[in-house]
Each structure stands twice: as C-alpha cells, then as structure tokens.
Amino acid sequence: MRLWLFRWRVCFGVSTIPAAILALAMVFCAESPHWLYKQGRTAEAEVEFERLLGVSEAKFAISQLSKLVTGFFRYPKVIFYSRVRFAVVFIGSTLFALQQLSGINAVFYFSSTVFKSAGVPSDVANVCIGFANLTGSIISTVLMDKLGRKVLLFWSFFGMAISMIIQATGASSLLLNTGALYLSVGGMLMFVFTFALGAGPVPGLLLTEIFPSRIRAKAMAFCMSVHWVCNFLVGLLFLRLLEKLGPQLLYSMFATFCMMAVIFVKRNVVETKAKSLQEIEIALLPQD
C-alpha cells in the first residue's frame, strides 16, 4: 500500500518537470509580431519578424500584415457578423465535438478493462496504449507538413472508423472468445494509433491557423469548451451506455461518428499547409 502511494506521488511529481521547463522557456519566447503591429509598435514587430524569419523575410511579413489590417478595416463585418466568422467557428467546434464523440477518451479511460478480459495486466495495457499513441504522434509530426492537415485528418478519422468496426465485430457473439479478444485488443490499439496520426494533434493546430486574429482567442476558448463538455459527457455516460446498449451497438455508434467526421473534413476543412497565418486570413476575406 505504501509503495502504491509512493508511486502515485512520483507520477504527479514528475509532471512538474516539463511544466517548469515550459515556464522557463517562455522567458525566451518571442512576442507576437501581429499583436505588436496592431498596437502601433511597427518597429518592434519588424524586429520580432527578423528574429523569427530572418531579415530577408521580415519586410514581406510586415507588408502581409498591412494588407491584413487593411482588409479588416475594409470588411469589419466579415469577421464579426458574417458567415465567414460563423463558418470557421462552426468548423472548429464541430471538429472538436466529433473528435470526442469518436470515443477516444472512452478508450483511454477504460482500455484496461478490455485488456484485462484478454488476460493482459493493466500496467502492460497502459504501456501498449501509450506506445501506440506515441508512435502515431511521432509519425504525425513527420507527415504534418508533407501531406497536409486535411489529408491526415481525413485518413485518421477513416482509420478510426475501421478500428471501431473491428472492435464492434470483436464484441459480436458470433465469434469465438479468443478471436473476439484479439479483434477487441487489436482494434483498440489501431484506434489509438490512427487517432494520434491526425484526429488528436491536427484540430488544435488547424484552428489556430484558420481563425482570424481578431476572434482567435475567443473562438479557441469556445471550441475548447465544446471539446471538454463532450469529453465530460463521453466519460460520464460511456459505462451506462455500455451496460444498456452493449459494446457492439456502442462501438458502432462511435464508428458512425468517425465516418461523419470523414465526410465533414472532406467537405468543410481547408488545407493550410505551407501558408502563413496572414495568407490564410487574407484568403478568408472577400475578393474584389
């Protein structure tokens, strides 16, 4: 018992290390050139651009900011009242909602139960889930700027749908126990891996790129609220729904949400690869 309490405290204590590193690193973080420019501190904004992009790119970046600010003054209602603002916030909140309704946190919260039924100890289960998540995240980091955000999102949600179908098949009473357990465990690991490829890391990055700067903070706050509300509801209701509906129907529902996400990404998400924030914002403004 004492050993367990010690390990519990160590886990929480270790998490202070990256938090402290991040806090110290923020001292060396550059100030936002965009914010400085909007405050009328153009010279400081140019200095920060030179620090981030180099001298050769700083002048071009300042000119892009100038076009962007001019666009805001010419079309103020576009950002605050028109369909453009509604569209980008709708895309962001829907992506986060579908991310959670895919069942990812139900898998994270209750994966040890599935592994335990397969005879796998909980500590080994946690290592397997963590390894699948880490591997997918590393691959996503490599491919993010090569394939693009939209491609990763599309195939990530598609892979998650297939994984949930595999888990639903494993929950079928038509299969032998051994085969069902292999499908359940394999489908769960595949689900976590494909989630980490795109559906996990991409939405948070994509939304900061497509939100206009004037509404970025509030829009991100709203979308993150949607994210955590859906997270809370899935965690709260998963076991109750599992008891009432059974795993096969519940996993099929998660697979349906994943396919809805595939269709949504295909129709609504814009590609932002190799574009600066200013270029993306200018593209959202009406064209003359």
Side-chain angles (χ1 to χ4, degrees), residues 111-129 185:
S111 60
S112 58
T113 303
V114 175
F115 278 90
K116 186 177 180 180
S117 64
V120 180
S122 59
D123 54 347
V124 176
N126 292 332
V127 170
C128 291
I129 291 293
V185 172

Side-chain angles (χ1 to χ4, degrees), residues 14-268:
V14 168
S15 65
T16 63
I17 297 175
I21 293 173
L22 179 60
L24 291 174
M26 289 303 295
V27 176
F28 305 98
C29 184
E31 183 59 85
S32 167
H34 204 145
W35 181 83
L36 290 171
Y37 190 90
K38 287 194 296 182
Q39 302 303 311
R41 296 155 64 178
T42 306
E44 293 178 54
E46 188 170 346
V47 169
E48 293 296 340
F49 269 132
E50 291 177 358
R51 177 182 174 189
L52 294 170
L53 305 176
V55 177
S56 60
E57 296 291 333
K59 295 291 185 183
F60 176 74
I62 287 291
S63 67
Q64 289 290 91
L65 270 183
S66 177
K67 291 179 183 179
L68 184 59
V69 172
T70 302
F72 279 125
F73 282 111
R74 290 174 61 195
Y75 307 106
K77 292 185 179 180
V78 169
I79 302 303
F80 292 101
Y81 304 107
S82 75
R83 290 180 298 174
V84 174
R85 183 189 70 165
F86 175 80
V88 292
V89 175
F90 173 74
I91 290 171
S93 56
T94 303
L95 272 180
F96 271 131
L98 290 172
Q99 180 197 66
Q100 295 304 306
L101 293 175
S102 69
I104 181 61
N105 281 305
V107 169
F108 279 137
Y109 295 156
F110 307 110
S111 60
S112 58
T113 303
V114 175
F115 278 90
K116 186 177 180 180
S117 64
V120 180
S122 59
D123 54 347
V124 176
N126 292 332
V127 170
C128 291
I129 291 293
F131 180 77
N133 194 19
L134 177 62
T135 304
S137 299
I138 293 173
I139 295 174
S140 175
T141 302
V142 174
L143 298 179
M144 188 79 70
D145 288 323
K146 293 182 179 180
L147 298 181
R149 284 73 158 139
K150 185 173 182 177
V151 172
L152 285 181
L153 267 181
F154 180 89
W155 289 110
S156 175
F157 277 119
F158 185 79
M160 291 163 65
I162 299 299
S163 304
M164 274 298 174
I165 292 172
I166 291 174
Q167 291 189 72
T169 304
S172 172
S173 58
L174 300 177
L175 296 177
L176 298 175
N177 289 339
T178 303
L181 289 176
Y182 279 128
L183 285 177
S184 296
V185 172
M188 183 170 292
L189 290 175
M190 178 180 172
F191 183 83
V192 172
F193 175 76
T194 51
F195 171 83
L197 282 177
V202 171
L205 171 64
L206 179 70
L207 300 193
T208 60
E209 294 176 332
I210 66 172
F211 285 151
S213 60
R214 293 283 182 97
I215 66 166
R216 187 170 293 140
K218 292 181 179 179
M220 282 301 299
F222 176 79
C223 291
M224 291 304 298
S225 297
V226 172
H227 172 276
W228 287 110
V229 167
C230 292
N231 183 324
F232 172 76
L233 292 175
V234 170
L236 180 67
L237 300 176
F238 176 74
L239 287 180
R240 298 180 185 180
L241 292 174
L242 188 62
E243 292 175 0
K244 292 183 178 295
L245 302 178
Q248 190 173 13
L249 180 56
L250 186 57
Y251 290 154
S252 299
M253 291 172 60
F254 286 146
T256 301
F257 280 118
C258 290
M259 287 308 301
M260 289 171 60
V262 169
I263 297 170
F264 181 82
V265 169
K266 180 69 174 178
R267 292 184 175 180
N268 298 284

